[in-house]
Amino acid sequence: MTTAADSNAPDAERLRRWRLVLGGEAEGSCGGLGGRDQRMDNALDALYAAANGTSAPRGRPDTRGQRSAGLQASAPNVARWLGDIREFFPSSVVQVMQRDAVDRLNLRQLLLEPELLSAVEPDVHLVGTLLSLNRLMPEETKQTARQIVRTVVEELERQLAQGFRAAVTGALNRAARTNRPQPRDIDWNRTIRANLKHYQPAYRTIVPERLVGYARAAKTVKRDVILAIDQSGSMAASVVYASLFGAVLASMKTLKTSLVAFDTEVVDLTPVLTDPVDVLFGTQLGGGTDINKAIAYCQSLITRPTDSIFILISDLYEGGIRDEMLRRMAEMTATGVQCITLLALSDEGAPAFDQRNAAALAELGVPAFACTPDRFGPLMAAAIERRDLAPYAASG
């Protein structure tokens, strides 16, 4: 038998949820909160309450004024708040709330304190924030920051590196195929398919006219890869992923990999490419952008144009000489360099970017598109095999 209390339970739960979503302004219509729910509501208000002390509808930004200093810009309050949100919400939500706290309440300075950093949930966006503060960090904070960055990088490597390496290695093996293989290197399946027309019915066999196999070229560099990464603030996640993939590429003996970071200056990070954490702490997010200057430096690294892949990772907002930038890209393409522009290498899709420059590059035959990290392996494989990249540009 259903009691009145049982029938009211779903309504009460529905009102509770709406009260948590809408904030204190909904208390009159949805009822009050107590215990754990009140603590959860306080954690939300500390971040999202408006300057006049009322709450904005949760999930929608309040543009009426500056956010209330609900965390009171002090390390103890922030550390307590970080502990609360990790208790109440799943990791993915915690990361979003941390990002909002940094952006809305200007907590960047507090992230310079090692005690606070140790309470933060690590993610790609936090890494970007830490890198932007790199030059300001006191020595006692840097070790904690490096450990957070390493934790994130190792997790990304676990998720992405194996598939990425397999895609690139497979492409290199296919690119190394030869029609004059040694007997032990013959790919018999491909050789048979390539010679089916030479089947001899009388002998019930195929007389191969052309052998297909793999060149024994483990010691030979097959491709030169140059990654040029824009260090402007909007590219933070792309810098993290590019550093990880650059380290994986550098570990492959059949590739010669260079990694260059730039803003208005150019830094060649190739010497530290074996460790993506060292690469990341060699960058300096923010500042202006001189793409032309970076391309000029990368041009000087190219010695085998037809075996070179140049990947520019940038939103294409050029602070340097635009015409020179386009001329250099046209020169590289004309000499046989495979040039690709990634507007972003992240899960968020393409950020704001200079559409005029992207269109101009496309006219030169240089595709410009955003790429998610899981698709970067197949993209590199296609570039190594010199396949058409139009499908990637269309989906990006």
Side-chain angles (χ1 to χ4, degrees):
M1 186 172 101
T2 304
T3 65
D6 292 333
S7 62
N8 289 336
D11 290 338
E13 176 62 15
R14 189 177 300 110
L15 288 173
R16 169 186 168 272
R17 289 173 178 268
W18 275 114
R19 167 61 182 80
L20 286 169
V21 168
L22 296 174
E25 288 183 337
E27 190 157 316
S29 57
C30 298
L33 298 171
R36 179 183 172 86
D37 285 346
Q38 186 60 59
R39 289 177 60 210
M40 189 185 304
D41 191 61
N42 290 342
L44 290 166
D45 275 348
L47 175 56
Y48 297 114
N52 61 6
T54 61
S55 296
R58 302 273 164 71
R60 282 197 287 168
D62 186 336
T63 57
R64 291 174 293 177
Q66 196 170 19
R67 293 292 173 187
S68 167
L71 303 181
Q72 298 174 358
S74 68
N77 281 343
V78 175
R80 190 179 308 114
W81 178 78
L82 286 168
D84 285 344
I85 64 174
R86 292 176 78 166
E87 176 186 348
F88 299 137
F89 303 105
S91 176
S92 58
V93 176
V94 170
Q95 292 172 7
V96 172
M97 293 180 73
Q98 286 178 172
R99 203 181 318 157
D100 284 347
V102 171
D103 292 341
R104 300 176 186 221
L105 299 179
N106 194 25
L107 299 184
R108 285 177 173 81
Q109 282 300 119
L110 292 178
L111 290 178
L112 301 180
E113 302 187 24
E115 296 82 5
L116 184 60
L117 275 181
S118 63
V120 173
E121 187 80 19
D123 74 325
V124 169
H125 298 282
L126 177 63
V127 169
T129 301
L130 293 178
L131 295 178
S132 69
L133 297 170
N134 184 21
R135 300 295 186 268
L136 303 175
M137 282 184 188
E139 286 303 317
E140 61 268 24
T141 305
K142 284 190 175 181
Q143 189 57 41
T144 306
R146 285 185 72 90
Q147 186 53 51
I148 289 174
V149 172
R150 188 168 295 282
T151 298
V152 173
V153 167
E154 288 176 352
E155 176 61 19
L156 293 176
E157 188 171 20
R158 185 187 66 77
Q159 295 173 6
L160 299 168
Q162 184 174 351
F164 176 74
R165 187 186 297 274
V168 174
T169 301
L172 287 167
N173 288 340
R174 289 188 293 273
R177 192 172 298 128
T178 176
N179 291 329
R180 300 175 63 183
Q182 298 295 320
R184 59 183 173 178
D185 299 325
I186 295 173
D187 184 336
W188 287 108
N189 287 332
R190 292 183 178 276
T191 295
I192 290 170
R193 285 200 296 271
N195 290 277
L196 286 175
K197 62 183 178 181
H198 302 301
Y199 178 72
Q200 303 293 317
Y203 299 101
R204 301 179 64 184
T205 189
I206 291 173
V207 178
E209 182 179 275
R210 180 169 65 92
L211 298 176
V212 181
Y214 296 103
R216 298 188 66 79
K219 298 180 181 179
T220 303
V221 174
K222 287 293 175 185
R223 294 286 187 273
D224 297 341
V225 179
I226 301 171
L227 296 170
I229 313 173
D230 185 340
Q231 296 184 105
S232 58
S234 63
M235 304 298 293
S238 299
V239 170
V240 176
Y241 286 113
S243 300
L244 169 63
F245 290 131
V248 176
L249 292 171
S251 69
M252 300 182 180
K253 294 181 179 179
T254 49
L255 292 175
K256 178 186 175 185
T257 304
S258 302
L259 189 143
V260 173
F262 66 92
D263 42 33
T264 54
E265 299 297 327
V266 179
V267 180
D268 193 332
L269 296 171
T270 306
V272 295
L273 196 48
T274 53
D275 187 343
V277 176
D278 285 343
V279 172
L280 288 169
F281 276 92
T283 64
Q284 183 173 356
L285 292 175
T289 308
D290 192 336
I291 303 173
N292 175 56
K293 189 174 185 178
I295 294 175
Y297 178 80
C298 292
Q299 268 188 298
S300 71
L301 302 178
I302 296 172
T303 57
R304 306 187 308 157
T306 57
D307 289 319
S308 296
I309 301 169
F310 173 63
I311 302 177
L312 172 66
I313 304 173
S314 173
D315 55 17
L316 296 179
Y317 286 111
E318 172 64 308
I321 306 173
R322 177 181 184 268
D323 290 344
E324 281 289 296
M325 174 193 77
L326 296 175
R327 182 185 64 78
R328 292 183 188 280
M329 290 293 272
E331 283 180 357
M332 285 197 291
T333 302
T335 59
V337 178
Q338 184 149 19
C339 297
I340 305 166
T341 298
L342 298 184
L343 304 170
L345 178 56
S346 67
D347 289 310
E348 281 73 31
F353 63 94
D354 192 311
Q355 298 188 20
R356 180 168 166 247
N357 283 338
L361 288 172
E363 289 181 4
L364 297 175
V366 179
F369 55 93
C371 180
T372 56
D374 61 306
R375 287 180 60 80
F376 190 57
L379 170 65
M380 281 299 306
I384 288 169
E385 297 181 64
R386 291 193 167 273
R387 287 188 271 123
D388 183 12
L389 301 182
Y392 294 89
S395 62

